[in-house]
């Protein structure tokens, strides 16, 4: 059993334990997180969409479920869950597009359970979550008409995108609709940064749940991330020190 | 009652596969590989479900004469034709190859080509959208890297190509990329754990 | 491929290329048709590939050809596959949940494993993967010294970028939410590094897209040339 | 209010802040304070069509719907903002009604059957918990059948009048009841919700109340009831209506008119208020149950209806003695006269209060049942009691026809919205001129029938404003700063609302709105002599005749239709203009999120496209080679060349084609020299891809080389196909290639082919060349495959955008060589002195990049300058 494996176990167990603690322990002062303007603007966009009866469009990227980047899609699903509950008062349920079949099914399930818990099960329409293509480009190309035709006022692009995200952000700019975009892929992040109205950078994607009050576990995740972040910083710093000291 | 079952499955599989990563017991590793192999099969089956979803969505559009139903007709026709041909002839048959090369490649390549305009447009508009230091740095970097990527029509610029670009690529960009990757990994870790321990259940429930 | 089919392919792809480019003038029926056909064909193609390379090759064929143990083992994915198929029907879709749960569980675990072993450890270690001070000064050429200097910059950039993401913040007395001054300063540096990284990537995308455009225009010109 | 509770995070903020200091949620409504309306402001004739885009989506839909709908349908179509289900239900019936018989006025034919129906309807529904939604939707649903029914019921003229007035009354009451049902039903639901959700909901509420109330009023489903309830409450508490600055308080005319209102109302408002604010918070929630119910109703009710009509008829005589007590009532004329416009409760209070008051304080769901019973009873009486219609209708009808030039204005009173003004007005008239009416029966058709609809169809634009103008009172009243507390308040809610309505407390924009509602109400009242006093205090100071009976209590139902005629009055114009400003300002947030210059944008896009295509097209077409090839080569490319040169001949190289078809242009240009190099060295090739489209790309790529080297498949080149499973698949392949892939369906084992015969593990390949555009894929292969590859070189051919992420692997030595994009390709070709695709593209590439650079610089400067100018011209224009 090599060092890496042990360290890995330690890290994972530590993270899990911390998350458990943070999500169970109720504190008087809830943790405060830095302001990410994109999320407050998103809230407003959602509110507006609800009132003027326009739609939200979620797009989850093309990540398969059984690859490391699937986590971005899972984070996006957590957000969909929450937003779907909030928008269950609207008669235009959000439309979800995805470039991976399993992801589409998950989006359907998420919508379904969200409406169920909002006592609005009648809103659930399996066709609200759609597979728009099986290759990255065809997925994006298939999502473009939805963004144009279905009275979408806000696009939330979260998940694993590639270059194709540019088509989505560009379309939404042509439609002058709100766009919040986040992805775990670096080139796509560069595109998003340049083309999307409300880009989220890197890790902020995984904070979405906490910023839409998706529950204590999400908040706990952020706290754990911060702790681990400083662990890494400490590790790097100590490594640098050792190098400078000549070891 | 199905929810607990699903959750239990998710947690169990998640833990086993996770352990398979870290505890190098051969049996655990092989179990993990087998489980993941099944997952691959499942996602393959899911693709078929997804295609049916794609089909039904557009069929519905046509039936209810929604906006753009005509186009859906094209999609369904193309989908059925390709899929059926693919089943009959097999995906690596020359006809499939022909369809692929005459439809998929040109369209994707053209979309990619249009990206050139889109990106230029975006970088022009960027300062209108967000005029802050970060944006300025971003654009300057783009400019420098581009200058270093291809020589100007009237010959390469000194320094930029052989000093600045490499420095940006190997040092500055590498540092930023590494920081972002680490952050993403942290997010991935916690998000994954939430699911492994059943706090998030995107497969329904809660 | 025979010449005739080559010609067909050429004409079709030429038309489709123009139809896609018509989007430059704005959304229009030609573009729509091209896109929908494209989505349909690619979906059909991929589905066929998956059917052959995954479902047949890994599931159905082994069910009949493989050894007894393997077949027994394959029964589980078989059942799960059937359950996933239930997702097609609205009434039975709940039956698919266990199968999806399986996928999600496996996927999440893969994600965690990949994040820890694939990124966190290697990248952290790589952050200070530069020659030690001793070797740097002992190296006459100065190459080591340069690598050390670069390494330090990279390490600093990595840290500041990482700190930029720090979420935890405090409520200041004036009621505003913000992080501690030191964190804010470091993360400001981090932003610069991020901007540079994005700029680098963006330039790369330019190059890629530009090449694609050149290739397309080449194709069009050659297409005319071929007559 | 010292502090505002943040709707988003629930924390309290000083009310000076516009945004929550904790979550930056909007605390004050987006609608910027409108500069208050000057009394003498000249009416601006507005063409509202230009406002189209600023209208809420539901409205836009409705307007679209207008075209094919008949005039009458428009009302529900537009009001059915949130709950499409019911609105459409109403519509269906109405459509039939009109086609079937024109001579019976639509509203009459539509409503009278309800009177018929509801008595039977309720009795079954009483036991049901959620009966409310149920029978309601049934009533709704019946409108079609009943409208057909109307003609078939043989009735004497005099009798015709009965159902008519009664019908209006019940028409109202049903809708009101339906409100009660909805809100209470929802109220209880949303109280059950978790806090976090409440926060969110309230967030929506506070951010966009104006919108919500539009919805609310539009769709008979929310907003109205709470408001009129609260108004009644206020009405009771307030003693001098005429002097009060609050329009609502004018309601007191009603309480005063009917003695026992206060006591039941206090209880009523008490348990309604919670429903009120929840209803405001989440507009459409109620509609959800409704939809389903209406569907249920579809099946169940149509047959049921036949059975009922007769037994209604049979009940008529039986109600005789009730009728007696009814006529015996002192306020009978008033009640009857008011009935067309009078909200149910008054009627209720008169007849049934004792028996049902008991269950009021309990579940508000329960409350609507008594109401309904009350209304329907009053209804049952109506036919039997001949006197009441004669007393009631003729009076005001006569009045109208006499004193009113415009018939529809006269009828305006009959519209639910403005009933309070109407009512008070009617009261005056009735007291002034007792029974002078005749021909009550035929009058209404003339007034209510064709005129409106024709006009409405004519002016669908003003229609929109009408809707909003009618909405205002409601949401104003519901917007009172105190309505949060109000919701908690119980019996003393009246007093509380009073405080909450102290002018000082009102948000500026609400103040700005107040005169408007006054104007709205004023319009119909103009004709009447009452309410002609000038305000001395409060936000309405200086406006005259602005305090008619509490308009805020108005449930807006059909009145959009009737309101059209209001366009004529200047007051309406002012109102309209202000509402347009309101609308525009409300639509602002969305425009905030979008960029303003659409046309310039399009031109910019076109310009870029044209120029770029010209630049590249011309260069490509000319086939020039003026741009010098790079003379300093990237180290990674040189390393790649060296690694391939060092390969032992006659080995097998694994090519992995993992790029999107979209990037085939770049990837092929970059990869061709590499594979070409391998071929020159006579290496055997095995191709593989972990993306489904890979094999086709492989095929295409290899075919392009086939011409220059005619290699034999299986001898020098084997295509292994698609390797599913992403990283897992790669890992499987790396650890055990032979079992992971290579067995075709037909059973042939590709590993047996000459090219692969001596490959047993990944390490047996001489090298691995990965062609990809996605750094993730590169990472996967590096991390999973490289360890198994051992000392064998791993060479990457990557798209330019992947370089920054894969470069570290090259620096760290995990990757032995790298060819990035066109530049790598062209270097490779130059070093090997074998010009190919990359070299051919090079000129165009250089020109294109140069063009991009120019555009960035120019665009950047332009943006900076214009931004700077913009900032100088109007500062703080950004939100």
């Amino acid at each position: 059993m090599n060092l890496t494996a042990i360290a890995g176990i330690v890290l994972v167990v530590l993270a899990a334990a911390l998350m458990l603690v943070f999500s169970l322990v109720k504190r008087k002062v809830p943790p405060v997180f830095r302001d990410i303007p994109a999320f407050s603007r998103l809230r407003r966009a959602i509110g507006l969409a609800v009132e003027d009866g326009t739609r939200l469009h979620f797009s989850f990227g093309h990540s398969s479920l059984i690859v490391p980047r699937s986590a971005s899609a899972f984070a996006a699903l957590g957000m969909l869950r929450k937003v779907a509950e909030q928008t269950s008062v609207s008669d235009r349920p959000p439309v979800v597009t995805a470039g991976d079949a399993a992801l589409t099914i998950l989006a359907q399930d998420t919508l379904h359970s969200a409406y169920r818990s909002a006592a609005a099960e009648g809103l659930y329409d399996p066709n609200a979550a759609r597979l728009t293509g099986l290759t990255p480009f065809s997925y994006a190309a298939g999502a473009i008409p939805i963004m144009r035709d279905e009275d979408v006022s806000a696009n939330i692009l979260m998940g694993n995108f590639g270059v194709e995200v540019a088509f989505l952000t560009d379309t939404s700019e042509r439609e002058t609709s709100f766009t919040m975009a986040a992805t775990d892929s670096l080139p796509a992040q560069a595109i998003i940064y340049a083309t999307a109205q409300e880009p989220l950078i890197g890790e902020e994607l995984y904070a979405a749940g906490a910023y839409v009050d998706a529950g204590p576990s999400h908040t706990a995740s952020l706290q754990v991330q911060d702790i681990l972040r400083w662990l890494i910083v400490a590790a790097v710093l100590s490594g640098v020190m050792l190098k400078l000291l000549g070891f | 009652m199905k929810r607990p079952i699903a959750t239990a499955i998710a947690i169990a599989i998640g833990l086993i596969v996770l352990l398979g990563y870290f505890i190098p017991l051969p049996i655990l590793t092989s179990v993990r590989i087998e489980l993941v192999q099944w997952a691959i099969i499942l996602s393959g089956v899911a693709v078929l479900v997804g295609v049916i979803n794609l089909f039904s969505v557009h069929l519905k559009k046509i039936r209810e004469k929604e906006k753009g139903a005509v186009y859906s007709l094209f999609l369904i026709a193309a989908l059925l034709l390709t899929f059926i041909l693919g089943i009959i002839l097999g995906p690596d048959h020359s006809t499939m190859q022909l369809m692929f090369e005459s439809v998929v490649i040109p369209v994707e390549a053209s979309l990619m080509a249009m990206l050139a305009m889109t990106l230029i447009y975006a970088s022009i508009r960027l300062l209108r959208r967000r005029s802050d230091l970060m944006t300025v740095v971003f654009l300057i970097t783009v400019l420098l890297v581009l200058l270093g990527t291809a020589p100007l029509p009237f010959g390469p610029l000194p320094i930029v190509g052989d000093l600045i670009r490499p420095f940006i690529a190997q040092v500055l960009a590498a540092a930023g990329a590494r920081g972002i990757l680490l952050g993403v990994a942290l997010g991935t870790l916690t998000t994954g754990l939430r699911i492994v321990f059943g706090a998030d259940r995107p497969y329904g429930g809660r | 491929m025979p010449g005739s089919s080559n010609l067909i392919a050429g004409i079709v792809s030429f038309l489709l290329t123009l139809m896609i480019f018509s989007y430059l003038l704005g959304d229009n029926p030609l573009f729509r048709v091209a896109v929908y056909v494209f989505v349909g064909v690619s979906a059909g193609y991929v589905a066929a590939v998956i059917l052959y390379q995954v479902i047949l090759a890994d599931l159905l064929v082994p069910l009949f050809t493989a050894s007894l143990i393997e077949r027994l083992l394959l029964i589980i994915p078989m059942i799960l596959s059937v359950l996933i198929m239930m997702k097609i029907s609205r009434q039975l879709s709940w039956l698919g949940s266990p199968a999806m749960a399986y996928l999600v569980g496996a996927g999440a675990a893969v994600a965690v494993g990949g994040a820890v072993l694939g990124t966190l450890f290697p990248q952290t270690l790589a952050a200070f993967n530069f020659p030690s001070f001793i070797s740097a000064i002992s190296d006459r050429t100065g190459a080591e010294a340069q690598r050390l200097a670069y390494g330090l910059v990279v390490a600093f950039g990595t840290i500041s970028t990482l700190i930029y993401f720090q979420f935890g913040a405090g409520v200041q007395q004036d009621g505003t939410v913000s992080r501690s001054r030191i964190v804010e300063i470091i993360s400001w540096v981090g932003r610069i590094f991020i901007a540079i990284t994005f700029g680098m990537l963006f330039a790369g995308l330019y190059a890629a897209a530009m090449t694609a455009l050149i290739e397309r225009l080449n194709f069009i010109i050659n297409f005319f040339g071929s007559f | 209010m010292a502090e505002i509770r943040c709707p988003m995070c629930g924390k309290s903020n000083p009310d000076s802040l516009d945004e929550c200091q904790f979550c930056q949620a909007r605390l004050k409504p987006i609608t910027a304070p409108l500069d208050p309306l000057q009394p003498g402001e000249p009416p601006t004739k507005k063409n509202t069509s230009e406002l189209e885009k600023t209208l809420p989506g539901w409205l836009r839909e409705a307007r679209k719907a207008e075209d094919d709908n008949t005039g009458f349908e428009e009302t529900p179509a537009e009001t059915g903002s949130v709950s499409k289900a019911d609105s459409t239900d109403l519509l269906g019936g109405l459509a039939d009604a009109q086609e079937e018989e024109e001579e019976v006025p639509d509203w009459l034919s539509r409503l009278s059957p309800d009177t018929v129906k509801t008595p039977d309807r309720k009795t079954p529904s009483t036991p049901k918990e959620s009966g409310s939604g149920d029978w309601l939707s049934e009533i709704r649903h019946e409108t079609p059948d009943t409208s057909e029914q109307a003609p078939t019921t043989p009735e004497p003229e005099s009798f015709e009048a009965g159902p008519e007035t009664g019908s209006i009354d019940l028409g109202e009451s049903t809708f009101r009841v339906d409100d009660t049902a909805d809100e209470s039903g929802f109220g209880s639901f949303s109280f059950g919700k978790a806090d976090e959700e409440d926060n969110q909901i309230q967030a929506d509420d506070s951010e966009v109340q104006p919108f919500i109330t539009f919805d609310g009023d539009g769709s008979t489903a929310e907003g109205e009831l709470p408001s009129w309830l609260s108004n009644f409450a206020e009405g009771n508490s307030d003693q001098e209506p005429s002097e009060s600055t609050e329009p609502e308080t004018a309601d007191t005319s009603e309480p005063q008119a009917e003695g026992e209102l206060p006591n039941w109302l206090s209880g009523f408002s008490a348990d309604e208020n919670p429903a009120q604010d929840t209803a405001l918070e989440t507009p459409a929630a109620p509609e959800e149950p409704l939809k389903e119910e209406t569907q249920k109703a579809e099946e169940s009710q149509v047959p049921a209806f036949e059975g009922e009509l007769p037994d209604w008829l049979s009940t008529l005589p039986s109600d005789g003695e009730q009728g007696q007590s009814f006529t015996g009532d002192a306020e009978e004329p008033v009640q009857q006269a008011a009935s067309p416009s009078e909200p149910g409760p008054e009627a209720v209070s008169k007849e049934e209060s004792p028996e049902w008051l008991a269950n009021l304080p309990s579940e508000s769901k329960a409350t609507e049942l008594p109401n309904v019973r009350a209304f329907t009873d009053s209804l049952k009486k109506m036919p039997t009691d001949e006197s009441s219609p004669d007393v009631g209708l003729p009076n005001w009808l006569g009045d109208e026809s006499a004193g009113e030039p415009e018939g529809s204005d006269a009828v305006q009173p009959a519209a639910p919205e403005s009933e309070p003004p109407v009512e008070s007005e009617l009261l005056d008239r009735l007291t002034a001129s007792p029974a002078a009416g005749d021909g009550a029966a035929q009058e209404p058709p003339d007034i209510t029938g064709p005129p409106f609809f024709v006009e409405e169809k004519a002016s669908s634009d003003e229609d929109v404003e009408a809707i909003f103008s009618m909405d205002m009172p409601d949401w104003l009243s519901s917007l009172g700063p105190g309505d949060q507390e109000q919701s908690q308040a119980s019996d003393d809610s009246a007093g509380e609302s009073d405080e909450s309505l102290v002018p000082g407390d009102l948000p500026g924009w609400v103040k700005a709105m107040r005169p408007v509602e006054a104007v709205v109400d004023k319009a119909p009242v103009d004709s009447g002599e009452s309410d002609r006093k000038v305000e001395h205090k409060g936000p309405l100071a200086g406006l005259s005749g602005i305090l008619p009976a509490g308009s805020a209590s108005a449930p807006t139902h059909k009145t959009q239709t009737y309101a059209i005629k209001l366009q004529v009055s200047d007051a309406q114009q002012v109102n309209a203009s202000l509402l347009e400003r309101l609308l525009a300002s409300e639509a602002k947030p969305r425009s905030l999120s979008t960029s303003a210059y659409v046309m310039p944008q399009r031109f910019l896009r076109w310009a870029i496209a044209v120029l770029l295509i010209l630049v590249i097209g011309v260069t490509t077409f000319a086939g020039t080679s003026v741009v010098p090839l790079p003379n300093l080569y990237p180290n990674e490319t040189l390393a790649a060349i060296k690694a391939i040169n060092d390969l032992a001949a006659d080995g097998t190289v694994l090519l992995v084609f993992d790029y999107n078809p979209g990037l085939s242009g770049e990837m092929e240009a970059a990869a061709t020299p590499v594979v070409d190099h391998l071929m020159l060295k006579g290496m055997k090739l095995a191709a593989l891809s972990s993306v489904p489209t890979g094999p086709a790309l492989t095929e295409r790529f290899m075919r392009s080389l086939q011409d220059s080297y005619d290699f034999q498949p299986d001898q020098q080149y084997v295509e292994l196909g698609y390797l599913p499973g992403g990283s897992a698949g790669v890992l499987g392949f790396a650890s055990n290639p032979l079992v992971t892939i290579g067995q075709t369906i037909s059973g042939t084992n590709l590993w047996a082919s000459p090219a692969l015969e001596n490959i047993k593990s990944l390490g047996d390949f001489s090298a691995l060349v990965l062609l990809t555009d996605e750094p993730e894929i590169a990472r996967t292969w590096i991390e999973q495959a490289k360890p198994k590859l051992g000392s064998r070189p791993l060479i990457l051919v990557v798209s330019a955008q992947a370089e920054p992420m894969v470069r570290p692997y090259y620096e760290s030595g995990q990757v032995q060589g790298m060819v990035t994009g066109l530049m790598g390709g062209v270097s490779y070709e130059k070093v090997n002195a074998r010009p190919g695709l990359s070299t051919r593209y090079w000129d165009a590439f250089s020109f294109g990049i140069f063009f991009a650079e120019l555009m960035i610089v120019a665009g950047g400067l332009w943006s900076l300058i214009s931004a700077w100018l913009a900032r100088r011209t109007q500062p703080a224009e950004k939100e």
Side-chain angles (χ1 to χ4, degrees), chain D residues 391-662:
Chain D
V391 177
L393 264 172
N395 282 335
W396 61 273
L397 283 178
D399 244 345
E400 304 303 353
S401 44
E404 290 279 346
E406 307 123 348
S408 60
D409 250 4
V411 182
Q412 176 59 31
E417 290 68 6
S418 49
E419 80 226 354
V422 177
E423 196 218 352
S424 58
E425 174 184 4
L426 289 174
L427 293 178
D428 300 344
R429 299 196 185 146
L430 287 164
T431 44
S433 61
D438 26 70
Q442 56 270 45
E443 269 288 11
D446 311 341
I447 297 162
T448 57
F452 314 134
F453 311 139
V454 178
E455 277 166 20
E456 166 162 6
K457 273 197 234 84
S459 59
S460 62
D461 273 352
E462 298 89 341
D463 199 356
V464 177
E465 302 161 30
I467 290 179
F468 293 109
S469 58
M470 286 311 141
D471 290 343
M472 310 242 296
D474 273 352
W475 66 266
L476 265 184
S477 57
S478 59
L479 260 180
D483 70 353
Q484 297 279 17
E485 306 88 78
Q486 220 177 45
S487 65
Q488 278 84 10
S490 53
D491 297 358
D492 54 353
S493 69
E496 256 203 70
S497 60
D498 252 0
E499 292 146 28
S500 75
L501 286 173
V502 173
D505 290 351
L506 294 172
W509 55 282
V510 176
K511 287 208 196 90
M513 299 316 307
R514 295 201 163 275
V516 181
E517 103 191 46
V519 172
V520 180
D521 309 324
K522 177 167 164 251
V525 186
D526 278 346
S527 54
E529 263 55 63
S530 63
D531 301 327
R532 272 254 167 266
K533 55 190 71 65
V534 178
E535 273 310 297
H536 302 304
K537 56 177 195 242
L540 307 188
L543 298 187
S544 70
I546 49 157
L547 284 181
S551 54
S553 71
T556 67
H557 205 44
K558 320 196 281 309
T559 326
Q560 293 83 322
T561 330
Y562 306 144
I564 300 314
K565 201 64 168 70
L566 293 182
Q567 283 304 321
V568 189
S569 82
D570 291 358
Q572 284 295 321
Q573 279 296 337
V574 179
N575 173 15
S577 65
L578 183 116
L579 279 162
E580 287 166 18
R581 301 218 307 274
L582 173 67
L583 255 185
S585 62
E586 268 156 355
K588 213 179 259 159
R590 202 152 35 121
S591 60
L592 261 182
S593 68
T594 69
S595 47
Y597 329 82
V598 176
M599 269 327 271
Q601 277 182 33
R602 183 165 301 152
F603 284 129
L604 183 57
R605 288 177 182 275
W606 289 342
I608 293 172
V610 170
L611 287 175
L612 194 55
I613 290 179
L614 272 181
V615 168
I616 293 178
V618 168
T619 342
T620 315
F621 187 72
T624 60
S625 57
V626 297
V627 181
L629 296 178
N631 45 16
L632 63 140
Y633 311 109
N635 302 334
E636 63 270 20
T637 310
L638 295 175
I641 297 173
K642 180 176 179 306
I644 291 180
N645 279 328
D646 298 348
L647 290 181
D650 194 36
T652 305
V653 173
L654 179 63
L655 293 175
V656 181
F657 288 80
D658 275 3
Y659 54 85
N660 282 315

Side-chain angles (χ1 to χ4, degrees), chain A residues 4-247:
Chain A
T4 327
I6 298 171
I9 293 180
V10 171
L11 184 62
V12 171
V13 171
L14 173 69
L18 285 172
M19 282 177 68
L20 202 65
V21 171
F22 282 129
S23 45
L24 293 190
V25 171
K26 293 263 171 295
R27 280 179 301 169
K28 287 177 246 37
V29 264
V32 183
F33 296 126
R34 78 176 147 101
D35 167 41
I36 300 182
F39 284 114
S40 31
R41 301 213 183 90
L42 171 67
R43 284 198 211 91
R44 184 187 305 160
I46 292 175
L48 286 170
V50 170
E51 289 107 35
D52 65 5
T54 52
R55 283 191 128 168
L56 294 175
H57 170 231
F58 282 80
S59 212
F60 283 170
H62 62 255
S63 162
S64 145
L65 285 192
I66 47 175
V67 297
R69 14 190 217 293
S70 61
S72 57
F74 290 141
L77 283 168
M79 175 134 173
L80 170 66
R81 163 71 191 242
K82 183 65 185 174
V83 174
E85 279 176 17
Q86 289 164 354
T87 54
S88 63
V89 298
S90 160
D91 58 347
R92 302 292 301 275
V95 56
V96 184
T97 57
D100 176 74
L103 197 51
T104 314
I105 299 176
L106 282 186
Q108 290 174 344
D109 293 348
T110 307
L111 282 174
H112 199 175
S113 43
Y115 289 140
R116 202 184 297 114
S117 70
E121 195 158 359
L123 274 182
Y124 171 65
D125 166 19
N127 287 346
R130 306 172 193 175
L131 176 74
T132 53
L134 287 172
T135 66
F137 277 59
S138 64
Y139 144 67
I144 290 177
I146 294 178
M147 295 169 75
R148 297 189 66 95
D149 296 351
E150 307 218 348
D151 200 6
V152 168
S153 68
N155 300 284
I156 298 152
L157 317 175
M158 292 177 83
N160 174 256
F161 295 91
V163 182
E164 74 273 8
V165 75
F167 308 130
L168 302 180
T169 50
D170 181 54
T171 307
S172 106
E173 170 159 7
R174 287 170 185 254
E175 293 292 298
T176 65
S177 50
F178 175 91
T179 319
M180 191 186 79
T183 179
D184 57 349
S185 133
L186 275 171
Q189 278 186 47
I191 296 180
I192 284 173
Y193 176 77
T195 60
Q197 180 190 345
E198 297 295 343
L200 293 182
I201 299 170
E203 201 177 341
E204 292 169 350
L205 159 67
Y206 303 92
Y211 277 78
V212 296
D213 316 316
S217 68
H218 291 260
T219 321
S221 299
L222 281 203
Q223 295 170 280
V224 175
Q225 285 177 40
D226 280 346
I227 293 175
L228 296 182
R229 182 189 327 282
W230 289 102
L231 282 182
I232 294 175
V233 170
V236 173
L237 280 179
S238 50
V240 171
M241 285 306 153
L242 290 178
K243 289 281 185 174
L244 287 181
L245 295 177
F247 293 100

Side-chain angles (χ1 to χ4, degrees), chain D residues 257-281:
Chain D
E258 292 105 39
E260 58 275 71
L261 264 183
N263 45 354
W264 71 265
L265 245 179
S266 57
F268 203 64
S269 55
D271 69 11
E272 275 312 277
N273 277 335
Q276 160 185 0
D277 87 346
T278 48
L280 283 169
E281 283 161 4

Side-chain angles (χ1 to χ4, degrees), chain B residues 11 23 58 83 92 103 125-126 153 159 161 166 169 190:
Chain B
I11 295 178
I23 301 177
H58 287 276
F83 189 47
D92 39 20
V103 176
R125 295 270 312 152
L126 186 53
I159 306 161
T190 53

Side-chain angles (χ1 to χ4, degrees), chain C residues 146-192:
Chain C
Q146 190 205 27
R147 286 190 55 219
L148 172 61
Y150 280 10
L152 289 176
V153 177
V154 170
F156 177 62
T158 308
I159 292 176
S160 57
T161 309
L162 198 52
I163 290 178
Y164 162 80
F165 291 113
Q166 165 78 18
F167 293 107
V171 184
Q172 311 306 322
Q173 51 273 49
D174 64 345
T176 60
V177 175
S178 72
R179 302 174 289 187
S180 70
R181 179 168 299 278
I182 181 71
V183 170
E184 287 293 349
I185 293 169
I186 299 177
S187 56
W188 183 85
V189 180
R191 286 171 66 87
I192 302 302

